[in-house]
């Protein structure tokens, strides 16, 4: 997706390969006598280690015989007994190492996380219980809230949704002054609901440099007191403590390599960074490319802000790195600022980013389509572990702002319109949280319009009503639902609303695409946006024949094969070794 100054920088630096995987397969060579080593090409296909090739992106997955490599494998095997590599002890060590590497890679292969910010500064919001159900229906796994509201925390119990909670700036004085205040807070607000509610992070203070009251001197003492309270409860290794910042913490952000922190914040920033390193916590920052575009549209193009493939690259004159989107440039400006202070190992987490769906007359970029485009491309960017030009392949966890429009927020019109949903839970636009396509088919399809019409499942009906309608369509409705069975083109995402959308549309098209054919007791809605994605092709009213085994023209790829797929390919051949060794 991104262009770099050198070909090598397009390849993710997967250090496990050179440091662990290559020695492993050399050690296992006596066991697999005729297994030459293979590497991955740029496209993810294996090529031989004996041939000239660029550096490996991932790791070997299979052996393919050719005479040069086979000869080398046999030569290495003949030498192995001289080194003791073929002894039972050596084989056991190799198997143990394989098991260790297998479990290590399982953790590494999770990919970047994408969550949602759940602000509540609005009228008529649904109850926390309803919000928790909405989040689960959207397959969202990570949620950030800005306080420790007991009703909200309780609502997410036993949902498997990971929750980031916050200590508001107004509480920093009390938290920094007395340990007993923090102990009481933990006892009343966290411990009764943990671990049923999976609280994973606590943010102590939020964008403190933007606060109208100077609380910067309070944040680190408050963080230390929260850590002390967690240690007493034995949770300091399970719940991570940090604090969020705006990009305004930098005095300079362009070019990215010149990123530097504002020197006036040094009094609290250095001890905070030391705290984060000591406790293996991320540096949290809120990034908004929208404001860069809105404040300077003559210098920042809309395409550049939205991750558009049509964006013109911006070259960092100091490094030669090419930036094709503002998000990467902002992340790298933070990275270079941290590196300038010798904190280059700190992980960066984006705790807010997004795009408004509505704005004032002068805010022409604030539209639902642009919001959908930005967040869709962002999710794909994160899920694929695209990283940034300065740190290619780096996992970046992000939280999209926000779940709901919040009508009570002050400021310009866009401030109140960052939500994916209105307070009545109706979708303003839809997102594909898997990063697979342009949008999730749940609420109406991809960005590209169509001359035809489709019928998809409504997001405003109960799961029971949706399931009953799906059962009817695939039964008495005589719809061929084979495409939504496991391993078939439309099985993923494996959600009720996705499968119902496919079945509803098939019935709708079979019955002539009439209004009545899309009713399903109120569970179906018509749309002019094509819900097709990947190899799942939705019949429309202009195409009366569908072959679910056909693949539609591929959309432009945003990146190389996704990390989860690559990791599966990597781990699969190791699994028999681990099982045979008795480790599973």
């Amino acid at each position: 997706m991104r262009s770099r100054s050198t070909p090598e920088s397009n390849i993710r630096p997967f250090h496990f390969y050179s440091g662990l995987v290559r020695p492993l397969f050399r050690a296992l060579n006596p066991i697999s006598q005729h297994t030459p080593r293979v590497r991955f090409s740029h496209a993810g296909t294996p090529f031989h280690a004996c041939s000239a090739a660029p550096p490996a992106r991932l790791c070997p997955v299979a052996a393919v015989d050719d005479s040069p490599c086979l000869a080398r494998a046999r030569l290495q095997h003949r030498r192995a007994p001289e080194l003791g590599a073929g002894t039972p002890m050596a084989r056991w060590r190799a198997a143990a190492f394989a098991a260790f590497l297998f479990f290590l890679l399982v953790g590494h292969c999770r990919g970047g996380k994408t969550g949602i910010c759940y602000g509540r500064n609005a009228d008529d919001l649904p109850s926390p219980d309803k919000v928790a159900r909405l989040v689960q229906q959207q397959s969202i796994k990570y949620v950030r809230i800005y306080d420790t509201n007991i009703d909200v925390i309780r609502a997410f119990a036993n949902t498997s949704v990971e929750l980031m909670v916050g200590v508001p700036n107004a509480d920093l004085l009390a938290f920094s002054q007395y340990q007993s205040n923090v102990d009481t807070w933990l006892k009343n607000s966290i411990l009764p609901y943990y671990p049923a509610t999976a609280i994973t992070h606590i943010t102590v203070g939020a964008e403190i440099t933007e606060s109208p009251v100077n609380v910067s001197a309070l944040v680190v003492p408050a963080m230390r007191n929260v850590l002390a309270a967690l240690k007493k409860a034995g949770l300091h290794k399970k719940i991570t403590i940090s604090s969020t910042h705006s990009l305004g913490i930098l005095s300079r952000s362009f070019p990215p390599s010149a990123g530097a922190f504002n020197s006036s914040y040094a009094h609290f920033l250095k001890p905070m960074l030391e705290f984060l390193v000591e406790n293996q916590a991320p540096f949290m920052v809120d990034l908004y490319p929208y404001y860069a575009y809105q404040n300077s549209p003559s210098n920042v193009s809309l395409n550049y802000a939205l991750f558009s493939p049509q964006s013109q690259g911006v070259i960092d004159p100091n490094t030669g790195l090419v930036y094709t989107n503002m998000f990467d440039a902002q992340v790298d400006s933070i990275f270079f600022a941290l590196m300038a202070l010798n904190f280059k190992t700190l992980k960066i987490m984006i705790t807010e980013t997004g795009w408004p769906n509505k704005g004032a007359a002068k805010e022409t970029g604030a539209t639902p389509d642009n919001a959908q485009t930005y967040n869709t491309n962002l999710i794909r960017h994160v899920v694929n572990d695209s990283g940034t030009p300065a740190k290619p392949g780096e996992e970046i966890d992000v939280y999209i702002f926000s779940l709901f429009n919040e009508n009570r927020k002050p400021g310009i019109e866009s401030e109140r319109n960052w939500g994916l949903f209105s307070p009545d839970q109706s979708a303003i636009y839809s997102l594909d949280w898997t990063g697979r396509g342009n949008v999730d088919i749940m609420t109406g399809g991809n960005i590209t319009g169509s001359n035809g019409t489709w019928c998809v499942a409504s997001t405003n009906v109960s799961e029971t009503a949706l399931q009953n309608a799906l059962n009817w369509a695939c039964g008495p409705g005589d719809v061929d639902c084979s495409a939504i069975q496991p391993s078939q083109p439309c099985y993923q995402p494996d959600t009720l609303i996705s499968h119902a959308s496919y079945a509803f549309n098939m019935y709708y098209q079979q019955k002539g695409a009439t209004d009545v054919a899309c009713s399903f007791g109120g569970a179906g809605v018509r749309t002019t946006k094509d819900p097709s994605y990947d190899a799942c092709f939705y019949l429309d009213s202009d195409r009366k024949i569908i072959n679910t085994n056909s693949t539609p023209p591929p959309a432009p790829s945003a990146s190389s094969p996704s990390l989860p797929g690559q990791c599966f390919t990597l781990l699969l051949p190791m699994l028999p070794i681990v099982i045979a060794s008795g480790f599973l």
Side-chain angles (χ1 to χ4, degrees):
M1 182 174 177
R2 293 183 310 281
S3 174
R4 303 283 201 278
S5 56
T6 60
E8 288 79 10
S9 60
N10 282 320
I11 303 170
R12 181 181 176 190
F14 191 79
H15 303 299
F16 285 117
Y17 180 80
S18 59
L20 293 177
V21 180
R22 184 183 295 160
L24 168 64
F25 276 81
R26 285 177 176 171
L28 291 178
N29 197 46
I31 300 175
S32 301
Q33 298 183 18
H34 305 298
T35 305
R37 290 168 287 136
V38 295
R39 297 180 182 174
F40 267 89
S41 69
H42 289 280
T45 55
F47 57 77
H48 297 282
C50 297
S51 61
R57 177 178 175 89
L58 275 175
C59 309
V61 296
V64 181
D65 286 350
D66 67 18
S67 53
C69 285
L70 188 57
R72 178 183 296 181
R74 287 169 175 164
L75 178 61
Q76 289 175 340
H77 175 59
R78 286 198 298 270
R79 293 174 179 172
E82 300 174 12
L83 303 174
T87 66
M89 179 60 70
R91 294 183 182 183
W92 185 91
R93 287 175 178 171
F97 187 60
F100 163 75
L101 182 59
F102 179 85
F103 291 114
L104 189 64
L105 287 173
V106 166
H108 177 81
C109 291
R110 69 171 179 82
K113 300 187 299 188
T114 307
I116 193 75
C117 297
Y118 170 24
R120 305 191 307 279
N121 194 6
D123 296 316
D124 303 321
L125 286 178
S127 68
D129 288 337
K130 291 182 178 178
V131 172
R133 287 195 293 271
L134 176 65
V135 166
Q136 290 178 282
Q137 289 169 3
Q138 298 296 313
S139 300
I140 300 172
K141 302 298 184 184
Y142 311 96
V143 172
R144 178 191 175 191
I145 62 174
Y146 295 82
D147 53 18
T148 50
N149 181 280
I150 292 174
D151 292 332
V152 175
I153 292 177
R154 187 188 294 118
F156 281 96
N158 304 311
T159 61
S160 75
V161 173
E162 295 186 9
L163 201 62
M164 178 186 296
V165 303
V167 177
N169 292 346
D171 293 340
L172 289 178
L173 179 60
F175 273 56
S176 64
Q177 284 185 326
Y178 300 107
Q179 181 67 51
S180 59
N181 291 338
V182 183
D183 293 343
T184 301
W185 166 82
L186 188 72
K187 179 181 178 181
N188 295 334
S189 300
I190 303 294
L191 296 183
Y193 314 104
Y194 183 91
T197 299
I199 299 171
T200 58
H201 294 79
I202 298 174
T203 59
V204 181
E207 297 190 353
I208 55 175
T209 58
E210 306 295 326
S211 173
V213 179
N214 188 357
V215 294
S216 58
L218 306 175
V219 65
V220 175
M223 293 170 72
R224 289 172 177 155
N225 286 344
V226 172
L227 177 62
L230 289 177
K231 283 183 175 180
K232 293 177 186 178
L235 298 178
H236 61 293
K237 298 295 186 181
K238 299 179 179 179
I239 300 178
T240 303
I241 303 166
S242 190
S243 183
T244 68
H245 307 277
S246 72
L247 196 62
I249 200 169
L250 299 183
S251 60
R252 185 174 181 180
S253 61
F254 185 82
S257 60
F261 289 108
N262 191 319
S263 59
S264 64
Y265 302 139
H267 66 285
F268 79 87
L269 187 59
K270 188 173 186 296
M272 179 185 288
L273 296 177
E274 291 171 345
F275 176 94
L276 298 179
V277 170
E278 181 180 349
N279 294 282
Q280 299 181 354
F283 183 84
M284 296 178 169
V285 62
D286 303 339
L287 299 181
Y288 287 101
Y290 168 76
Y291 289 122
Y293 163 72
Q294 179 63 29
N295 296 334
S296 186
S298 59
N299 294 320
V300 178
S301 73
L302 184 61
N303 284 337
Y304 187 67
L306 294 176
F307 294 87
S308 171
Q310 287 75 42
S311 169
Q312 297 294 318
V314 177
I315 301 175
D316 186 316
N318 300 324
T319 62
L321 296 175
V322 180
Y323 290 84
T324 59
N325 64 80
M326 176 59 77
F327 177 84
D328 281 352
Q330 291 182 339
V331 172
D332 274 356
S333 68
I334 294 289
F335 166 69
F336 280 108
L338 289 170
M339 190 164 61
L341 296 181
N342 202 28
F343 288 96
K344 61 182 179 180
T345 61
L346 264 180
K347 179 179 174 64
I348 298 171
M349 177 183 286
I350 311 305
T351 40
E352 281 185 17
T353 190
W355 197 278
N357 58 69
K358 182 181 178 182
K362 293 183 179 180
E363 296 181 284
T364 56
T367 68
D369 282 348
N370 286 342
Q372 184 184 52
T373 299
Y374 175 83
N375 287 325
T376 296
N377 289 336
L378 171 72
I379 292 171
R380 183 186 296 119
H381 194 61
V382 171
V383 168
N384 287 334
D385 274 350
S386 300
T388 66
K391 302 194 80 174
E394 180 82 357
E395 289 178 358
I396 302 176
D397 297 340
V398 304
Y399 286 77
I400 292 175
F401 188 86
S402 63
L403 188 58
F404 295 106
N405 281 345
E406 298 177 81
N407 67 306
R408 293 205 304 249
K409 296 188 73 173
I412 58 178
E413 181 68 18
S414 62
E415 282 294 320
R416 294 175 286 280
N417 294 283
W418 290 79
L420 276 64
F421 294 89
S422 298
D424 64 1
Q425 300 187 63
S426 61
I428 298 169
Y429 58 91
S430 55
L431 282 181
D432 169 24
W433 289 89
T434 68
R436 290 165 54 89
N438 284 342
V439 298
D440 194 327
I441 97 177
M442 288 184 195
T443 52
N446 59 29
I447 298 169
T448 304
S450 168
N451 292 326
T453 59
W454 295 263
C455 178
V456 295
S458 171
T459 59
N460 298 320
V461 296
S462 68
E463 288 190 15
T464 300
L466 208 56
Q467 185 67 61
N468 290 338
L470 174 59
N471 293 343
W472 184 90
C474 295
D478 200 29
V479 169
D480 179 4
C481 293
S482 59
I484 55 177
Q485 300 305 310
S487 303
Q488 295 305 307
C490 301
Y491 178 68
Q492 294 291 346
D494 181 16
T495 62
L496 174 60
I497 201 162
S498 174
H499 292 174
S501 291
Y502 179 85
F504 289 4
N505 186 67
M506 285 293 289
Y507 180 84
Y508 172 71
Q509 305 300 345
Q510 289 173 10
K511 300 302 179 182
T514 64
D515 289 344
V516 174
C518 189
S519 61
F520 293 98
V525 292
R526 297 178 73 191
T527 179
T528 58
K529 295 182 178 180
D530 187 354
S532 302
Y533 61 95
D534 291 350
C536 182
F537 182 58
Y538 275 58
L539 181 67
D540 70 23
S541 56
D542 291 336
R543 297 188 291 263
K544 298 304 179 185
I545 300 175
I546 184 170
N547 180 0
T548 56
N549 294 320
S550 301
T551 301
S557 176
S559 67
S560 56
S562 66
L563 179 68
Q566 292 171 329
C567 284
F568 177 79
T569 304
L570 166 65
L571 293 172
L572 187 60
M574 293 185 182
L575 190 58
I577 301 172
V578 177
I579 295 175
S581 305
F583 287 93
L584 282 179

